[in-house]
PDB file of all heavy atoms in Angstrom:
ATOM      1  N   VAL W   1      93.241 176.759  92.001  1.00  0.00           N
ATOM      2  CA  VAL W   1      94.126 177.452  91.128  1.00  0.00           C
ATOM      3  C   VAL W   1      94.262 178.900  91.562  1.00  0.00           C
ATOM      4  O   VAL W   1      93.253 179.521  91.835  1.00  0.00           O
ATOM      5  CB  VAL W   1      93.665 177.395  89.668  1.00  0.00           C
ATOM      6  CG1 VAL W   1      94.550 178.217  88.743  1.00  0.00           C
ATOM      7  CG2 VAL W   1      93.584 175.952  89.142  1.00  0.00           C
ATOM      8  N   LEU W   2      95.456 179.394  91.682  1.00  0.00           N
ATOM      9  CA  LEU W   2      95.676 180.802  92.110  1.00  0.00           C
ATOM     10  C   LEU W   2      96.147 181.520  90.870  1.00  0.00           C
ATOM     11  O   LEU W   2      97.152 181.232  90.229  1.00  0.00           O
ATOM     12  CB  LEU W   2      96.808 180.828  93.162  1.00  0.00           C
ATOM     13  CG  LEU W   2      97.119 182.231  93.685  1.00  0.00           C
ATOM     14  CD1 LEU W   2      95.961 182.807  94.490  1.00  0.00           C
ATOM     15  CD2 LEU W   2      98.412 182.235  94.502  1.00  0.00           C
ATOM     16  N   SER W   3      95.358 182.630  90.546  1.00  0.00           N
ATOM     17  CA  SER W   3      95.731 183.457  89.386  1.00  0.00           C
ATOM     18  C   SER W   3      96.795 184.439  89.931  1.00  0.00           C
ATOM     19  O   SER W   3      96.598 185.116  90.961  1.00  0.00           O
ATOM     20  CB  SER W   3      94.557 184.281  88.902  1.00  0.00           C
ATOM     21  OG  SER W   3      94.975 185.312  87.999  1.00  0.00           O
ATOM     22  N   LEU W   4      97.918 184.500  89.237  1.00  0.00           N
ATOM     23  CA  LEU W   4      98.975 185.402  89.630  1.00  0.00           C
ATOM     24  C   LEU W   4      98.688 186.846  89.179  1.00  0.00           C
ATOM     25  O   LEU W   4      99.365 187.780  89.612  1.00  0.00           O
ATOM     26  CB  LEU W   4     100.355 185.012  89.110  1.00  0.00           C
ATOM     27  CG  LEU W   4     100.818 183.597  89.550  1.00  0.00           C
ATOM     28  CD1 LEU W   4     102.217 183.315  89.061  1.00  0.00           C
ATOM     29  CD2 LEU W   4     100.767 183.447  91.045  1.00  0.00           C
ATOM     30  N   GLY W   5      97.661 187.028  88.351  1.00  0.00           N
ATOM     31  CA  GLY W   5      97.211 188.371  88.019  1.00  0.00           C
ATOM     32  C   GLY W   5      98.141 189.040  87.064  1.00  0.00           C
ATOM     33  O   GLY W   5      99.246 188.617  86.733  1.00  0.00           O
ATOM     34  N   PRO W   6      97.699 190.261  86.617  1.00  0.00           N
ATOM     35  CA  PRO W   6      98.564 191.012  85.657  1.00  0.00           C
ATOM     36  C   PRO W   6      99.429 192.036  86.303  1.00  0.00           C
ATOM     37  O   PRO W   6     100.203 192.679  85.592  1.00  0.00           O
ATOM     38  CB  PRO W   6      97.433 191.722  84.844  1.00  0.00           C
ATOM     39  CG  PRO W   6      96.335 192.013  85.863  1.00  0.00           C
ATOM     40  CD  PRO W   6      96.380 190.797  86.819  1.00  0.00           C
ATOM     41  N   GLU W   7      99.401 192.172  87.626  1.00  0.00           N
ATOM     42  CA  GLU W   7     100.124 193.326  88.268  1.00  0.00           C
ATOM     43  C   GLU W   7     101.648 193.093  88.156  1.00  0.00           C
ATOM     44  O   GLU W   7     102.381 194.109  88.145  1.00  0.00           O
ATOM     45  CB  GLU W   7      99.733 193.418  89.758  1.00  0.00           C
ATOM     46  CG  GLU W   7      98.221 193.759  89.918  1.00  0.00           C
ATOM     47  CD  GLU W   7      97.351 192.516  89.966  1.00  0.00           C
ATOM     48  OE1 GLU W   7      97.892 191.367  90.039  1.00  0.00           O
ATOM     49  OE2 GLU W   7      96.116 192.678  89.792  1.00  0.00           O
ATOM     50  N   ILE W   8     102.099 191.852  88.188  1.00  0.00           N
ATOM     51  CA  ILE W   8     103.531 191.595  88.200  1.00  0.00           C
ATOM     52  C   ILE W   8     103.867 190.761  86.952  1.00  0.00           C
ATOM     53  O   ILE W   8     103.275 189.720  86.695  1.00  0.00           O
ATOM     54  CB  ILE W   8     103.970 190.816  89.457  1.00  0.00           C
ATOM     55  CG1 ILE W   8     103.489 191.477  90.718  1.00  0.00           C
ATOM     56  CG2 ILE W   8     105.501 190.626  89.513  1.00  0.00           C
ATOM     57  CD1 ILE W   8     103.726 190.721  91.991  1.00  0.00           C
ATOM     58  N   SER W   9     104.803 191.287  86.192  1.00  0.00           N
ATOM     59  CA  SER W   9     105.179 190.561  84.952  1.00  0.00           C
ATOM     60  C   SER W   9     105.926 189.255  85.285  1.00  0.00           C
ATOM     61  O   SER W   9     106.458 189.136  86.410  1.00  0.00           O
ATOM     62  CB  SER W   9     106.121 191.429  84.086  1.00  0.00           C
ATOM     63  OG  SER W   9     107.399 191.567  84.701  1.00  0.00           O
ATOM     64  N   PRO W  10     105.942 188.303  84.349  1.00  0.00           N
ATOM     65  CA  PRO W  10     106.708 187.042  84.647  1.00  0.00           C
ATOM     66  C   PRO W  10     108.155 187.296  84.951  1.00  0.00           C
ATOM     67  O   PRO W  10     108.700 186.627  85.876  1.00  0.00           O
ATOM     68  CB  PRO W  10     106.500 186.262  83.299  1.00  0.00           C
ATOM     69  CG  PRO W  10     105.243 186.752  82.725  1.00  0.00           C
ATOM     70  CD  PRO W  10     105.152 188.232  83.101  1.00  0.00           C
ATOM     71  N   GLN W  11     108.780 188.273  84.343  1.00  0.00           N
ATOM     72  CA  GLN W  11     110.169 188.560  84.604  1.00  0.00           C
ATOM     73  C   GLN W  11     110.307 189.117  86.052  1.00  0.00           C
ATOM     74  O   GLN W  11     111.268 188.690  86.753  1.00  0.00           O
ATOM     75  CB  GLN W  11     110.719 189.560  83.568  1.00  0.00           C
ATOM     76  CG  GLN W  11     110.726 189.077  82.130  1.00  0.00           C
ATOM     77  CD  GLN W  11     109.416 189.048  81.468  1.00  0.00           C
ATOM     78  OE1 GLN W  11     108.416 189.690  81.913  1.00  0.00           O
ATOM     79  NE2 GLN W  11     109.312 188.310  80.352  1.00  0.00           N
ATOM     80  N   ASP W  12     109.454 190.054  86.401  1.00  0.00           N
ATOM     81  CA  ASP W  12     109.533 190.586  87.728  1.00  0.00           C
ATOM     82  C   ASP W  12     109.139 189.539  88.768  1.00  0.00           C
ATOM     83  O   ASP W  12     109.708 189.544  89.932  1.00  0.00           O
ATOM     84  CB  ASP W  12     108.607 191.796  87.869  1.00  0.00           C
ATOM     85  CG  ASP W  12     109.119 193.032  87.174  1.00  0.00           C
ATOM     86  OD1 ASP W  12     110.358 193.069  86.913  1.00  0.00           O
ATOM     87  OD2 ASP W  12     108.334 193.934  86.908  1.00  0.00           O
ATOM     88  N   PHE W  13     108.287 188.618  88.451  1.00  0.00           N
ATOM     89  CA  PHE W  13     107.946 187.554  89.391  1.00  0.00           C
ATOM     90  C   PHE W  13     109.162 186.731  89.687  1.00  0.00           C
ATOM     91  O   PHE W  13     109.445 186.379  90.866  1.00  0.00           O
ATOM     92  CB  PHE W  13     106.805 186.730  88.835  1.00  0.00           C
ATOM     93  CG  PHE W  13     105.651 186.506  89.796  1.00  0.00           C
ATOM     94  CD1 PHE W  13     104.396 187.058  89.518  1.00  0.00           C
ATOM     95  CD2 PHE W  13     105.850 185.804  90.965  1.00  0.00           C
ATOM     96  CE1 PHE W  13     103.358 186.908  90.419  1.00  0.00           C
ATOM     97  CE2 PHE W  13     104.803 185.634  91.862  1.00  0.00           C
ATOM     98  CZ  PHE W  13     103.545 186.186  91.577  1.00  0.00           C
ATOM     99  N   LYS W  14     109.855 186.388  88.651  1.00  0.00           N
ATOM    100  CA  LYS W  14     111.069 185.593  88.834  1.00  0.00           C
ATOM    101  C   LYS W  14     112.109 186.338  89.725  1.00  0.00           C
ATOM    102  O   LYS W  14     112.696 185.708  90.622  1.00  0.00           O
ATOM    103  CB  LYS W  14     111.724 185.306  87.475  1.00  0.00           C
ATOM    104  CG  LYS W  14     113.021 184.475  87.537  1.00  0.00           C
ATOM    105  CD  LYS W  14     112.732 183.052  87.772  1.00  0.00           C
ATOM    106  CE  LYS W  14     114.001 182.232  87.578  1.00  0.00           C
ATOM    107  NZ  LYS W  14     113.769 180.779  87.842  1.00  0.00           N
ATOM    108  N   ARG W  15     112.222 187.588  89.515  1.00  0.00           N
ATOM    109  CA  ARG W  15     113.140 188.403  90.285  1.00  0.00           C
ATOM    110  C   ARG W  15     112.704 188.478  91.776  1.00  0.00           C
ATOM    111  O   ARG W  15     113.547 188.424  92.670  1.00  0.00           O
ATOM    112  CB  ARG W  15     113.217 189.833  89.714  1.00  0.00           C
ATOM    113  CG  ARG W  15     114.083 190.834  90.473  1.00  0.00           C
ATOM    114  CD  ARG W  15     114.096 192.178  89.925  1.00  0.00           C
ATOM    115  NE  ARG W  15     112.793 192.726  89.796  1.00  0.00           N
ATOM    116  CZ  ARG W  15     112.166 193.337  90.813  1.00  0.00           C
ATOM    117  NH1 ARG W  15     112.677 193.418  91.976  1.00  0.00           N
ATOM    118  NH2 ARG W  15     110.960 193.824  90.623  1.00  0.00           N
ATOM    119  N   LEU W  16     111.414 188.616  92.038  1.00  0.00           N
ATOM    120  CA  LEU W  16     110.924 188.702  93.372  1.00  0.00           C
ATOM    121  C   LEU W  16     110.994 187.330  94.100  1.00  0.00           C
ATOM    122  O   LEU W  16     111.224 187.329  95.294  1.00  0.00           O
ATOM    123  CB  LEU W  16     109.486 189.205  93.428  1.00  0.00           C
ATOM    124  CG  LEU W  16     109.287 190.661  92.982  1.00  0.00           C
ATOM    125  CD1 LEU W  16     107.774 190.928  92.861  1.00  0.00           C
ATOM    126  CD2 LEU W  16     109.890 191.597  93.954  1.00  0.00           C
ATOM    127  N   MET W  17     110.785 186.286  93.400  1.00  0.00           N
ATOM    128  CA  MET W  17     110.766 184.978  94.027  1.00  0.00           C
ATOM    129  C   MET W  17     112.182 184.458  94.322  1.00  0.00           C
ATOM    130  O   MET W  17     112.403 183.708  95.240  1.00  0.00           O
ATOM    131  CB  MET W  17     110.056 183.933  93.118  1.00  0.00           C
ATOM    132  CG  MET W  17     108.565 184.179  93.023  1.00  0.00           C
ATOM    133  SD  MET W  17     107.699 184.029  94.533  1.00  0.00           S
ATOM    134  CE  MET W  17     107.920 182.341  94.868  1.00  0.00           C
ATOM    135  N   CYS W  18     113.162 184.884  93.526  1.00  0.00           N
ATOM    136  CA  CYS W  18     114.503 184.387  93.701  1.00  0.00           C
ATOM    137  C   CYS W  18     115.495 185.490  93.804  1.00  0.00           C
ATOM    138  O   CYS W  18     115.559 186.376  92.916  1.00  0.00           O
ATOM    139  CB  CYS W  18     114.921 183.480  92.548  1.00  0.00           C
ATOM    140  SG  CYS W  18     113.713 182.154  92.316  1.00  0.00           S
ATOM    141  N   GLU W  19     116.272 185.553  94.838  1.00  0.00           N
ATOM    142  CA  GLU W  19     117.282 186.614  95.056  1.00  0.00           C
ATOM    143  C   GLU W  19     118.242 186.641  93.963  1.00  0.00           C
ATOM    144  O   GLU W  19     118.685 187.734  93.508  1.00  0.00           O
ATOM    145  CB  GLU W  19     117.921 186.443  96.408  1.00  0.00           C
ATOM    146  CG  GLU W  19     118.897 187.587  96.754  1.00  0.00           C
ATOM    147  CD  GLU W  19     119.451 187.403  98.141  1.00  0.00           C
ATOM    148  OE1 GLU W  19     118.873 186.674  98.950  1.00  0.00           O
ATOM    149  OE2 GLU W  19     120.490 188.010  98.442  1.00  0.00           O
ATOM    150  N   HIS W  20     118.657 185.550  93.438  1.00  0.00           N
ATOM    151  CA  HIS W  20     119.627 185.408  92.359  1.00  0.00           C
ATOM    152  C   HIS W  20     118.919 184.884  91.124  1.00  0.00           C
ATOM    153  O   HIS W  20     118.560 183.690  91.046  1.00  0.00           O
ATOM    154  CB  HIS W  20     120.762 184.525  92.791  1.00  0.00           C
ATOM    155  CG  HIS W  20     121.453 184.936  94.056  1.00  0.00           C
ATOM    156  ND1 HIS W  20     122.131 186.074  94.194  1.00  0.00           N
ATOM    157  CD2 HIS W  20     121.443 184.275  95.271  1.00  0.00           C
ATOM    158  CE1 HIS W  20     122.572 186.213  95.458  1.00  0.00           C
ATOM    159  NE2 HIS W  20     122.168 185.161  96.104  1.00  0.00           N
ATOM    160  N   ILE W  21     118.691 185.763  90.213  1.00  0.00           N
ATOM    161  CA  ILE W  21     117.832 185.436  89.084  1.00  0.00           C
ATOM    162  C   ILE W  21     118.299 184.213  88.258  1.00  0.00           C
ATOM    163  O   ILE W  21     117.527 183.526  87.668  1.00  0.00           O
ATOM    164  CB  ILE W  21     117.677 186.674  88.176  1.00  0.00           C
ATOM    165  CG1 ILE W  21     116.541 186.510  87.178  1.00  0.00           C
ATOM    166  CG2 ILE W  21     118.951 187.020  87.411  1.00  0.00           C
ATOM    167  CD1 ILE W  21     115.156 186.685  87.789  1.00  0.00           C
ATOM    168  N   ASN W  22     119.609 184.008  88.201  1.00  0.00           N
ATOM    169  CA  ASN W  22     120.172 182.931  87.419  1.00  0.00           C
ATOM    170  C   ASN W  22     120.322 181.619  88.179  1.00  0.00           C
ATOM    171  O   ASN W  22     120.841 180.641  87.660  1.00  0.00           O
ATOM    172  CB  ASN W  22     121.466 183.371  86.736  1.00  0.00           C
ATOM    173  CG  ASN W  22     121.295 184.489  85.796  1.00  0.00           C
ATOM    174  OD1 ASN W  22     120.260 184.516  85.031  1.00  0.00           O
ATOM    175  ND2 ASN W  22     122.189 185.461  85.776  1.00  0.00           N
ATOM    176  N   ALA W  23     120.028 181.662  89.475  1.00  0.00           N
ATOM    177  CA  ALA W  23     120.289 180.437  90.305  1.00  0.00           C
ATOM    178  C   ALA W  23     119.189 179.414  90.027  1.00  0.00           C
ATOM    179  O   ALA W  23     118.071 179.776  89.659  1.00  0.00           O
ATOM    180  CB  ALA W  23     120.269 180.812  91.748  1.00  0.00           C
ATOM    181  N   PRO W  24     119.446 178.134  90.214  1.00  0.00           N
ATOM    182  CA  PRO W  24     118.423 177.118  90.130  1.00  0.00           C
ATOM    183  C   PRO W  24     117.304 177.453  91.096  1.00  0.00           C
ATOM    184  O   PRO W  24     117.558 177.932  92.174  1.00  0.00           O
ATOM    185  CB  PRO W  24     119.156 175.822  90.533  1.00  0.00           C
ATOM    186  CG  PRO W  24     120.630 176.097  90.268  1.00  0.00           C
ATOM    187  CD  PRO W  24     120.779 177.558  90.526  1.00  0.00           C
ATOM    188  N   SER W  25     116.071 177.176  90.674  1.00  0.00           N
ATOM    189  CA  SER W  25     114.972 177.675  91.528  1.00  0.00           C
ATOM    190  C   SER W  25     113.797 176.699  91.441  1.00  0.00           C
ATOM    191  O   SER W  25     113.593 175.952  90.496  1.00  0.00           O
ATOM    192  CB  SER W  25     114.461 179.050  90.985  1.00  0.00           C
ATOM    193  OG  SER W  25     113.258 179.383  91.533  1.00  0.00           O
ATOM    194  N   GLU W  26     113.060 176.669  92.549  1.00  0.00           N
ATOM    195  CA  GLU W  26     111.821 175.898  92.541  1.00  0.00           C
ATOM    196  C   GLU W  26     110.679 176.584  91.843  1.00  0.00           C
ATOM    197  O   GLU W  26     109.676 175.963  91.494  1.00  0.00           O
ATOM    198  CB  GLU W  26     111.353 175.616  94.033  1.00  0.00           C
ATOM    199  CG  GLU W  26     112.309 174.702  94.812  1.00  0.00           C
ATOM    200  CD  GLU W  26     111.673 174.341  96.150  1.00  0.00           C
ATOM    201  OE1 GLU W  26     110.840 175.076  96.635  1.00  0.00           O
ATOM    202  OE2 GLU W  26     112.030 173.246  96.621  1.00  0.00           O
ATOM    203  N   PHE W  27     110.810 177.858  91.570  1.00  0.00           N
ATOM    204  CA  PHE W  27     109.708 178.614  91.036  1.00  0.00           C
ATOM    205  C   PHE W  27     109.841 178.738  89.506  1.00  0.00           C
ATOM    206  O   PHE W  27     110.885 179.091  88.942  1.00  0.00           O
ATOM    207  CB  PHE W  27     109.683 180.051  91.589  1.00  0.00           C
ATOM    208  CG  PHE W  27     108.596 180.852  90.952  1.00  0.00           C
ATOM    209  CD1 PHE W  27     107.259 180.725  91.301  1.00  0.00           C
ATOM    210  CD2 PHE W  27     108.878 181.858  90.012  1.00  0.00           C
ATOM    211  CE1 PHE W  27     106.247 181.477  90.748  1.00  0.00           C
ATOM    212  CE2 PHE W  27     107.897 182.620  89.407  1.00  0.00           C
ATOM    213  CZ  PHE W  27     106.554 182.412  89.831  1.00  0.00           C
ATOM    214  N   GLU W  28     108.801 178.361  88.848  1.00  0.00           N
ATOM    215  CA  GLU W  28     108.648 178.493  87.395  1.00  0.00           C
ATOM    216  C   GLU W  28     107.335 179.289  87.137  1.00  0.00           C
ATOM    217  O   GLU W  28     106.279 178.837  87.659  1.00  0.00           O
ATOM    218  CB  GLU W  28     108.671 177.216  86.643  1.00  0.00           C
ATOM    219  CG  GLU W  28     110.018 176.510  86.723  1.00  0.00           C
ATOM    220  CD  GLU W  28     111.129 177.195  86.026  1.00  0.00           C
ATOM    221  OE1 GLU W  28     110.827 178.015  85.094  1.00  0.00           O
ATOM    222  OE2 GLU W  28     112.307 176.934  86.282  1.00  0.00           O
ATOM    223  N   TYR W  29     107.354 180.345  86.447  1.00  0.00           N
ATOM    224  CA  TYR W  29     106.119 181.055  86.146  1.00  0.00           C
ATOM    225  C   TYR W  29     105.158 180.123  85.386  1.00  0.00           C
ATOM    226  O   TYR W  29     105.521 179.547  84.323  1.00  0.00           O
ATOM    227  CB  TYR W  29     106.324 182.308  85.349  1.00  0.00           C
ATOM    228  CG  TYR W  29     105.163 183.283  85.346  1.00  0.00           C
ATOM    229  CD1 TYR W  29     105.040 184.206  86.370  1.00  0.00           C
ATOM    230  CD2 TYR W  29     104.198 183.243  84.399  1.00  0.00           C
ATOM    231  CE1 TYR W  29     103.977 185.109  86.404  1.00  0.00           C
ATOM    232  CE2 TYR W  29     103.105 184.064  84.412  1.00  0.00           C
ATOM    233  CZ  TYR W  29     102.999 184.968  85.428  1.00  0.00           C
ATOM    234  OH  TYR W  29     101.879 185.850  85.484  1.00  0.00           O
ATOM    235  N   PRO W  30     103.951 179.921  85.912  1.00  0.00           N
ATOM    236  CA  PRO W  30     103.100 178.898  85.338  1.00  0.00           C
ATOM    237  C   PRO W  30     102.428 179.312  83.997  1.00  0.00           C
ATOM    238  O   PRO W  30     102.272 180.571  83.775  1.00  0.00           O
ATOM    239  CB  PRO W  30     102.030 178.639  86.385  1.00  0.00           C
ATOM    240  CG  PRO W  30     101.954 179.959  87.090  1.00  0.00           C
ATOM    241  CD  PRO W  30     103.357 180.546  87.054  1.00  0.00           C
ATOM    242  N   PRO W  31     102.011 178.414  83.141  1.00  0.00           N
ATOM    243  CA  PRO W  31     101.334 178.786  81.927  1.00  0.00           C
ATOM    244  C   PRO W  31     100.058 179.538  82.245  1.00  0.00           C
ATOM    245  O   PRO W  31      99.328 179.240  83.154  1.00  0.00           O
ATOM    246  CB  PRO W  31     101.014 177.404  81.301  1.00  0.00           C
ATOM    247  CG  PRO W  31     102.033 176.442  81.882  1.00  0.00           C
ATOM    248  CD  PRO W  31     102.266 176.972  83.246  1.00  0.00           C
ATOM    249  N   HIS W  32      99.853 180.642  81.467  1.00  0.00           N
ATOM    250  CA  HIS W  32      98.667 181.505  81.594  1.00  0.00           C
ATOM    251  C   HIS W  32      98.597 182.154  82.983  1.00  0.00           C
ATOM    252  O   HIS W  32      97.542 182.723  83.328  1.00  0.00           O
ATOM    253  CB  HIS W  32      97.404 180.692  81.387  1.00  0.00           C
ATOM    254  CG  HIS W  32      97.421 179.883  80.087  1.00  0.00           C
ATOM    255  ND1 HIS W  32      97.499 180.513  78.846  1.00  0.00           N
ATOM    256  CD2 HIS W  32      97.330 178.575  79.868  1.00  0.00           C
ATOM    257  CE1 HIS W  32      97.488 179.574  77.917  1.00  0.00           C
ATOM    258  NE2 HIS W  32      97.422 178.398  78.500  1.00  0.00           N
ATOM    259  N   GLY W  33      99.679 182.156  83.727  1.00  0.00           N
ATOM    260  CA  GLY W  33      99.695 182.787  85.035  1.00  0.00           C
ATOM    261  C   GLY W  33      98.800 182.101  86.082  1.00  0.00           C
ATOM    262  O   GLY W  33      98.405 182.726  87.083  1.00  0.00           O
ATOM    263  N   LEU W  34      98.487 180.848  85.918  1.00  0.00           N
ATOM    264  CA  LEU W  34      97.597 180.097  86.827  1.00  0.00           C
ATOM    265  C   LEU W  34      98.494 179.044  87.567  1.00  0.00           C
ATOM    266  O   LEU W  34      98.930 178.070  86.985  1.00  0.00           O
ATOM    267  CB  LEU W  34      96.497 179.414  86.048  1.00  0.00           C
ATOM    268  CG  LEU W  34      95.550 180.341  85.305  1.00  0.00           C
ATOM    269  CD1 LEU W  34      94.588 179.563  84.481  1.00  0.00           C
ATOM    270  CD2 LEU W  34      94.896 181.322  86.238  1.00  0.00           C
ATOM    271  N   LEU W  35      98.678 179.213  88.875  1.00  0.00           N
ATOM    272  CA  LEU W  35      99.451 178.368  89.689  1.00  0.00           C
ATOM    273  C   LEU W  35      98.546 177.315  90.326  1.00  0.00           C
ATOM    274  O   LEU W  35      97.656 177.630  91.185  1.00  0.00           O
ATOM    275  CB  LEU W  35     100.175 179.153  90.755  1.00  0.00           C
ATOM    276  CG  LEU W  35     101.166 178.402  91.677  1.00  0.00           C
ATOM    277  CD1 LEU W  35     102.291 177.837  90.840  1.00  0.00           C
ATOM    278  CD2 LEU W  35     101.732 179.353  92.748  1.00  0.00           C
ATOM    279  N   HIS W  36      98.739 176.092  89.977  1.00  0.00           N
ATOM    280  CA  HIS W  36      97.927 174.974  90.580  1.00  0.00           C
ATOM    281  C   HIS W  36      98.484 174.616  91.970  1.00  0.00           C
ATOM    282  O   HIS W  36      99.662 174.464  92.145  1.00  0.00           O
ATOM    283  CB  HIS W  36      97.938 173.753  89.664  1.00  0.00           C
ATOM    284  CG  HIS W  36      97.117 173.924  88.442  1.00  0.00           C
ATOM    285  ND1 HIS W  36      95.798 173.467  88.293  1.00  0.00           N
ATOM    286  CD2 HIS W  36      97.395 174.543  87.263  1.00  0.00           C
ATOM    287  CE1 HIS W  36      95.311 173.797  87.092  1.00  0.00           C
ATOM    288  NE2 HIS W  36      96.295 174.451  86.474  1.00  0.00           N
ATOM    289  N   MET W  37      97.559 174.469  92.908  1.00  0.00           N
ATOM    290  CA  MET W  37      97.947 174.211  94.280  1.00  0.00           C
ATOM    291  C   MET W  37      98.115 172.688  94.502  1.00  0.00           C
ATOM    292  O   MET W  37      97.313 171.881  94.081  1.00  0.00           O
ATOM    293  CB  MET W  37      96.855 174.705  95.199  1.00  0.00           C
ATOM    294  CG  MET W  37      96.260 176.025  94.887  1.00  0.00           C
ATOM    295  SD  MET W  37      97.289 177.369  95.276  1.00  0.00           S
ATOM    296  CE  MET W  37      96.818 177.591  96.929  1.00  0.00           C
ATOM    297  N   THR W  38      99.190 172.375  95.178  1.00  0.00           N
ATOM    298  CA  THR W  38      99.481 170.948  95.493  1.00  0.00           C
ATOM    299  C   THR W  38     100.354 170.897  96.653  1.00  0.00           C
ATOM    300  O   THR W  38     101.417 171.644  96.807  1.00  0.00           O
ATOM    301  CB  THR W  38     100.079 170.288  94.239  1.00  0.00           C
ATOM    302  OG1 THR W  38     100.375 168.881  94.590  1.00  0.00           O
ATOM    303  CG2 THR W  38     101.408 170.933  93.814  1.00  0.00           C
ATOM    304  N   GLY W  39     100.090 169.989  97.585  1.00  0.00           N
ATOM    305  CA  GLY W  39     100.917 169.816  98.755  1.00  0.00           C
ATOM    306  C   GLY W  39     100.682 170.831  99.871  1.00  0.00           C
ATOM    307  O   GLY W  39     100.002 171.852  99.643  1.00  0.00           O
TER     308      GLY W  39
END
């Protein structure tokens, strides 16, 4: 599990991960900021 930490807010994370904030995206901010590794 990777902790995304408190440095970047969920809203800013979405903006950084996707150039177009409203576009369909593979990224969803995980519950509690914990990203489970898979694949």
Side-chain angles (χ1 to χ4, degrees):
V1 176
L2 181 70
S3 170
L4 300 186
E7 299 84 15
I8 308 174
S9 70
Q11 295 77 16
D12 286 341
F13 231 113
K14 179 76 172 181
R15 176 181 58 82
L16 291 172
M17 292 298 293
C18 305
E19 184 175 340
H20 307 293
I21 193 75
N22 295 321
S25 167
E26 292 189 334
F27 177 75
E28 294 292 339
Y29 196 87
H32 309 298
L34 301 175
L35 184 63
H36 287 264
M37 319 283 274
T38 179

